[in-house]
Amino acid sequence: ALRTLFHRAMAPARPWRRMSADEIRTNARVAVPSSSPPTSSRSRATQEEGDMETPLLGQENHDVENGRAQIRRRCVPCKKSKKVEEENYAPLTDLPSKGVAGPHFKYEVNDMMRIVDEGRGVRKIARYREKKLVKFAWMLPKIFHTTYLASGFCWLQILLLWANAGLVAILVNVALRKANMKTVESLQTGIKISEDLRTLAAFVLGFYLTKTIDIWWSLRHDTLQQLMNIVDNMCLRMAIYFPGSHYEDRHARETIMRYGILSVALLFKDARQVDVWSMKEAKAVGALDLDDLLEERLLTKREAKLLEAVPAKSQMCWVWISSLFTKWCLDGRLPDPLGNQNTMLVYSEQARNAISTILAQLNMQFPLNYSHLIIFFTKLYMIILSVEAGVTFGSSLHHANYSDVISKCFILTIAPILYQGILEIKEHISNPFRDDITDYSFKMFHARLQNECMAFFKCAMDPPYTNDEDPDPAVLPPQFIERQVNTAMYDFDVR
């Protein structure tokens, strides 16, 4: 026995390694097959049928959780993984779900960015470290790869402008072979057409981008945040009205949370349809497919069938929520049923208005004549700049003064990056619900909403004033709707 203990003590520690979901499920089934709680025939039947009555988000996979516990007992964390864990941090609200229900995504944290890996090659920046960016981090390759400088068109356009300048330089060089030195010197200083056009292009382009940024800011902090605030507020009420741990209360509060998050998910799909121009593209971005919502347990098969061929699917969820609250009020499951129904109807109307406003802002573009005018003058400025640079290059071959050549080379490289970059940024942020790396991440919004709402439910089930003698949280008694009949509405004399 002492020899065995000695050998175990001297054996090298195995480093900690995060196991995949398949490995976790396998270990859970093999190690603890009897630890899963018994499931009633009713709940098992509803789960198999994908019925609407199943509390999808509240289910816990006890096999997986117990499997994780045994894996943690068998693994010894090494110093390297502990150091990484201490250095990189992410808020608890942003972390993905650990259960079977979603959201499922990889949350990557480094010294510069927090990145949400949504799968299918879609990666989005949750937050970047601006304190480092303004110092030396702007030179890092991982920053460049997320900006417009990683665009192939940026460098292709610069190459074409340089090719145009080279062609003009050759023509000017051939034309000036028999010219006098005075003409060569005048051309060597360069023509000044681009300077006047530069001021005009910068003015109209700056206003063009500023207006788009204002719309982008309003989308995120006014309408979209209002929608998510309504979901949180409704779940706060549900946590107070249904604080029990039994099936009925869990189903009630989690259904409202699921429908609220589902409306945000469907909003992303409705918004992506705005910039889809073919069925192939629609399938590629998942604008018409609801399978991902079925996998995330946000949607049941019956609900998916009800949403088939329905326009503005994100607004239909609030019809379901309003109808469900009306049913609960009629069934006597809520206190002050008339007041609660009116409040929830107001919430539903505000949420629907927010969704409609977002879709209206995305569908409403600047007039085509206005956008074409701005883009035309911006492109014209870059072309004239390349022609001026070519004239300067060609004349400099006959004159040994290269000071203007250096300045033209610099401007011909920097100006296209700046002006084309502004045009590209404007196009990217005009619809932030797509799959660009700087767009909104639904997976992140899903995690935040679900984590906040589940925290509401947990706190309401066990408030600090409860104790062993009085363990139940305070709940207002439910009431039936009582209406006084106005006899003036009926003519009792009619026979």
Side-chain angles (χ1 to χ4, degrees):
L2 291 175
R3 188 183 301 112
T4 302
L5 291 175
F6 175 77
H7 285 299
R8 288 182 179 177
M10 297 301 295
R14 296 176 59 187
W16 183 87
R17 180 176 69 87
R18 185 180 295 277
M19 303 191 72
S20 64
D22 294 336
E23 292 176 319
I24 292 173
R25 295 188 185 98
T26 303
N27 282 276
R29 286 194 296 266
V30 173
V32 283
S34 61
S35 60
S36 57
T39 306
S40 63
S41 59
R42 176 184 180 276
S43 62
R44 188 183 301 111
T46 54
Q47 290 175 20
E48 292 176 356
E49 296 174 3
D51 192 10
M52 179 180 174
E53 297 297 322
T54 307
L56 299 178
L57 295 176
Q59 294 175 343
E60 294 182 357
N61 193 325
H62 296 273
D63 293 345
V64 174
E65 293 299 325
N66 293 331
R68 284 197 185 115
Q70 290 214 0
I71 291 166
R72 293 193 191 101
R73 296 190 197 103
R74 293 197 298 268
C75 297
V76 180
C78 62
K79 294 182 179 180
K80 182 178 179 181
S81 62
K82 185 177 180 180
K83 182 180 179 181
V84 172
E85 185 177 354
E86 290 177 354
E87 289 179 353
N88 299 331
Y89 172 79
L92 293 176
T93 312
D94 296 347
L95 297 181
S97 173
K98 295 181 180 180
V100 177
H104 299 116
F105 61 91
K106 295 180 181 179
Y107 200 88
E108 302 176 9
V109 183
N110 55 47
D111 60 339
M112 192 60 208
M113 291 180 291
R114 296 171 183 162
I115 299 177
V116 177
D117 188 350
E118 298 187 350
R120 302 181 293 107
V122 178
R123 293 162 58 85
K124 297 183 179 180
I125 299 175
R127 188 171 180 83
Y128 62 90
R129 202 167 184 176
E130 194 170 359
K131 183 178 180 181
K132 283 192 172 184
L133 183 66
V134 299
K135 295 179 181 178
F136 297 103
W138 64 273
M139 299 183 294
L140 296 177
K142 57 186 174 184
I143 298 297
F144 273 82
H145 292 162
T146 62
T147 62
Y148 163 69
L149 296 175
S151 171
F153 181 79
C154 169
W155 305 106
L156 176 61
Q157 182 172 252
I158 293 175
L159 180 62
L160 293 176
L161 292 173
W162 271 94
N164 182 57
L167 179 61
V168 173
I170 294 173
L171 297 176
V172 170
N173 183 31
V174 173
L176 293 179
R177 285 182 179 179
K178 297 181 180 181
N180 56 27
M181 189 58 64
K182 194 171 184 180
T183 303
V184 174
E185 289 179 355
S186 62
L187 289 176
Q188 202 274 336
T189 56
I191 51 181
K192 306 295 183 182
I193 300 177
S194 63
E195 293 184 0
D196 298 329
L197 192 59
R198 180 195 310 164
T199 304
L200 178 61
F203 173 76
V204 295
L205 194 59
F207 178 79
Y208 189 56
L209 178 63
T210 302
K211 188 62 178 176
T212 307
I213 291 178
D214 292 339
I215 296 174
W216 176 85
W217 193 265
S218 175
L219 278 174
R220 175 63 186 89
H221 290 277
D222 293 341
T223 48
L224 183 59
Q225 188 60 43
Q226 180 188 7
L227 175 62
M228 293 191 289
N229 287 342
I230 291 173
V231 176
D232 277 340
N233 292 338
M234 295 185 76
C235 289
L236 178 62
R237 283 179 172 262
M238 298 300 295
I240 302 301
Y241 294 155
F242 300 95
S245 58
H246 49 83
Y247 172 83
E248 286 75 14
D249 280 12
R250 287 177 57 204
H251 172 258
R253 59 178 182 254
E254 290 173 8
T255 299
I256 296 300
M257 177 180 68
R258 181 168 64 86
Y259 283 167
I261 299 175
L262 177 62
S263 69
V264 180
L266 294 174
L267 171 62
F268 272 74
K269 292 184 177 293
D270 291 341
R272 288 173 182 174
Q273 295 181 26
V274 174
D275 291 314
V276 167
W277 300 94
S278 65
M279 289 298 297
K280 182 179 179 181
E281 188 178 356
K283 293 179 180 179
V285 300
L288 305 177
D289 190 11
L290 300 178
D291 290 342
D292 57 333
L293 303 182
L294 291 171
E295 294 175 359
E296 296 285 355
R297 300 296 185 92
L298 287 176
L299 196 64
T300 64
K301 293 181 180 179
R302 181 170 181 269
E303 292 164 353
K305 188 173 295 185
L306 293 174
L307 291 175
E308 288 181 358
V310 175
K313 294 181 175 61
S314 54
Q315 302 181 39
M316 301 304 109
C317 297
W318 295 98
V319 178
W320 292 350
I321 291 175
S322 302
S323 179
L324 186 57
F325 265 101
T326 303
K327 182 179 184 303
W328 286 340
C329 290
L330 293 173
D331 293 344
R333 296 190 62 185
L334 290 172
D336 187 16
L338 291 178
N340 270 301
Q341 188 199 27
N342 291 333
T343 300
M344 294 304 177
L345 287 177
V346 171
Y347 278 156
S348 299
E349 291 172 356
Q350 291 175 349
R352 196 220 64 82
N353 292 340
I355 294 173
S356 181
T357 302
I358 290 173
L359 295 177
Q361 287 178 317
L362 295 178
N363 281 281
M364 189 63 186
Q365 295 176 293
F366 290 114
L368 178 60
N369 294 336
Y370 177 68
S371 298
H372 180 265
L373 181 65
I374 293 176
I375 296 173
F376 172 77
F377 272 101
T378 303
K379 299 291 186 179
L380 182 63
Y381 164 71
M382 291 187 282
I383 293 174
I384 293 177
L385 188 62
S386 69
V387 173
E388 289 184 357
V391 172
T392 304
F393 298 161
S395 61
S396 297
L397 297 176
H398 296 272
H399 194 275
N401 184 7
Y402 298 102
S403 59
D404 291 332
V405 175
I406 297 175
S407 62
K408 289 293 183 181
C409 290
F410 178 78
I411 295 176
L412 186 59
T413 304
I414 298 301
I417 295 177
L418 176 63
Y419 285 89
Q420 184 64 32
I422 292 176
L423 292 176
E424 291 281 346
I425 291 172
K426 188 270 171 191
E427 192 279 328
H428 283 166
I429 66 177
S430 62
N431 188 351
F433 293 89
R434 295 176 291 189
D435 287 336
D436 190 69
I437 193 168
T438 56
D439 288 336
Y440 302 152
S441 172
F442 166 69
K443 297 283 188 178
M444 177 64 65
F445 294 152
H446 183 180
R448 288 177 180 174
L449 281 174
Q450 183 169 316
N451 290 332
E452 289 172 355
C453 295
M454 294 302 290
F456 295 159
F457 301 157
K458 182 178 179 181
C459 291
M461 291 174 64
D462 189 19
Y465 59 80
T466 58
N467 48 47
D468 295 336
E469 298 178 356
D470 187 13
D472 297 327
V475 182
L476 289 173
Q479 299 173 345
F480 285 97
I481 295 180
E482 295 181 2
R483 289 185 180 272
Q484 183 178 0
V485 178
N486 186 2
T487 57
M489 297 173 58
Y490 304 97
D491 189 359
F492 295 99
D493 295 333
V494 177
R495 296 178 182 176

